[in-house]
Amino acid sequence: MFYSIQELVERAKDYPTIGELMIATEMELTDRTREEIIALMERNLEVMESSIEEGVKGVTSVTRITGGDAKRMNEYIESGKFMSGETILKAVRNGIAVNEVNAKMGLVCATPTAGSAGVLPGVLMAAREKLDLTHEEQIDFLFTAGAFGLVMANNASISGAEGGCQAEVGSASAMSAAALVAANGGTPEMAANALAITLKNVMGLICDPVAGLVEVPCVKRNAMGASQAFISADMALAGIRSVIPPDEVVEAMYKVGRAMPQIFKETAEGGVATTPTGLRLQKQVFGEPEKVTV
């Protein structure tokens, strides 16, 4: 077991990959066999693939507030007129697709939460195409992400209700960045730096869901998280280091989350949730609140 990013980096030296360290940790914590643990992760991968496929075809949320953006992004990519890199845009498309499926009450894999479920699959599927990852390498990618996510969950938070969206989409983006570095041949130290760079760039991000639903601005925040993961990974692979050590960044995120007012922690009482349009959409979905008489 490891309890910090530094411990993770040090212990990874005894294993072929960070993913293998995580598998050994899971075996230790759950008493499951290696085969059982890998089978569970393979099921997660299947759900990720199917949710992206479904979302890209075009879906609409139960409330009809969101939907169809993954399909629009796919058509935009196919037009060839985009200004960003194709791999990043495919990750963005995939991330949107998963969260649109989530908004229609479809099946997604929480990575680490349902609200941030699009980031990691979005990055992985785009990286799979770019790096020609084998099935085994994709599974290793997911275990690597899980290793870094375990540390953040234990030392900070992955919950928007506890630490704001920095803890939810931010953690998902950081996990993805670290796994992306490893998948592209980077060292565990580089992966850790990618995590730190990501968290610093989303530090203080609030959780302000319109009408309390995981739709606005959540779907597009998954797009942001997926794109940030690629930028952070490339920075780390270029040899750029975080001046603030990764564990100190994780601690800072925890402290920021603790200090964040409740209105910015998934309560729909601040941010875009309280804009005129946000309030109108809330009434559209739930109707006028009942008046209490005494």
Side-chain angles (χ1 to χ4, degrees), residues 147-165:
F148 285 98
L150 180 63
V151 175
M152 287 187 288
N154 286 335
N155 293 316
S157 176
I158 56 172
S159 166
E162 184 177 3
C165 205

Side-chain angles (χ1 to χ4, degrees), residues 43-55 59 94-119 121 214 222:
R43 173 55 180 157
N44 291 338
L45 180 59
E46 290 173 2
V47 172
M48 292 176 186
E49 291 172 329
S50 62
S51 60
I52 289 173
E53 182 179 355
E54 180 182 359
V59 297
N94 297 343
I96 292 172
V98 174
N99 262 73
E100 288 187 329
V101 169
N102 180 59
K104 72 172 280 289
M105 305 302 289
L107 182 63
V108 299
C109 178
T111 48
T113 65
S116 61
V119 179
V214 187
N222 276 255

